[in-house]
Amino acid sequence: IGAGFYFVKKRGLPLLKMSDIVGVTIPLGLFFGRLGCLGYGCCYGNVCPEGFPLKIRFPAIGNKLIGYTPAFEKHLLEGLVTSADKHSAYIYPTQIISSINGLILFFILYILFRKKKFDGQIAGLSLMLYAVSRFLIELLRVEPHFLGLSVSQWIGVGMFAFGAAIYAYAKKDPLRSRS
């Protein structure tokens, strides 16, 4: 973020206009990034009910370098599986949900980008939409909690506020934000 901000300022590019472009494209990166999480086995969900239709599980061994996959290791430490088991317990497919979320956000923001009324609108909306959707996905994830929320949920609260501030600032004077 810092390098991007420096580049935009150094080149004299319009910050809010460039932020809108980034706001559209970041969710596409999240789509691919969360597929990487699925491949590695990190960012996994909580154990889900037996009858949940979209459950997944991870193999015990990821590869010879890392040993156990993260979900299997956690379940082993919690006593949900034994070292003789070949897979983790069934869990919510949060990596897939997060990946699809990124793709949906990309398409929504792309459509809105083509109809935007002022520079900064898409950047603000991108932060707010991602914050809300990530907050909800976190309800299915395994993550430490602080004061009732996960770290990612607290970050989402801040991200939403920052996105709302960008949106409000940019909307005040659309002509100024286009310069």
Side-chain angles (χ1 to χ4, degrees):
I1 292 172
F5 183 77
Y6 174 79
F7 178 82
V8 166
K9 283 299 187 187
K10 182 87 171 153
R11 299 284 176 140
L13 300 170
L15 180 61
L16 291 174
K17 187 175 284 202
M18 298 306 294
S19 297
D20 282 343
I21 293 168
V22 171
V24 171
T25 57
I26 290 288
L28 195 55
L30 293 168
F31 165 74
F32 290 109
R34 290 303 179 185
L35 289 177
C37 293
L38 178 64
Y40 175 66
C42 62
C43 306
Y44 52 90
N46 286 312
V47 174
C48 66
E50 188 70 31
F52 189 74
L54 301 174
K55 59 188 180 240
I56 61 170
R57 59 186 182 163
F58 286 93
I61 304 295
N63 64 45
K64 291 179 182 171
L65 295 175
I66 64 167
Y68 293 131
T69 56
F72 184 88
E73 184 173 16
K74 174 129 174 92
H75 295 165
L76 184 62
L77 293 172
E78 292 176 347
L80 297 172
V81 296
T82 68
S83 58
D85 289 324
K86 297 198 183 303
H87 295 92
S88 70
Y90 283 105
I91 56 178
Y92 292 108
T94 53
Q95 306 96 326
I96 297 170
I97 294 167
S98 295
S99 185
I100 292 168
N101 176 55
L103 195 58
I104 290 168
L105 289 177
F106 168 74
F107 284 117
I108 289 170
L109 292 165
Y110 178 76
I111 290 166
L112 293 174
F113 183 84
R114 297 175 56 158
K115 300 175 183 183
K116 74 178 186 164
K117 306 250 188 295
F118 54 91
D119 291 333
Q121 179 182 13
I122 302 305
L125 285 174
S126 180
L127 288 168
M128 290 187 290
L129 289 172
Y130 180 70
V132 169
S133 60
R134 176 69 187 263
F135 190 96
L136 295 173
I137 292 168
E138 285 297 310
L139 297 173
L140 301 175
R141 281 208 41 221
V142 172
E143 222 183 269
H145 281 67
F146 174 73
L147 297 176
L149 298 177
S150 72
V151 173
S152 294
Q153 287 174 317
W154 281 114
I155 291 169
V157 168
M159 186 182 290
F160 186 91
F162 186 59
I166 290 171
Y167 189 93
Y169 170 79
K171 188 176 182 180
K172 272 186 187 176
D173 186 0
L175 295 176
R176 175 189 35 125
S177 66
R178 289 215 176 259
S179 57

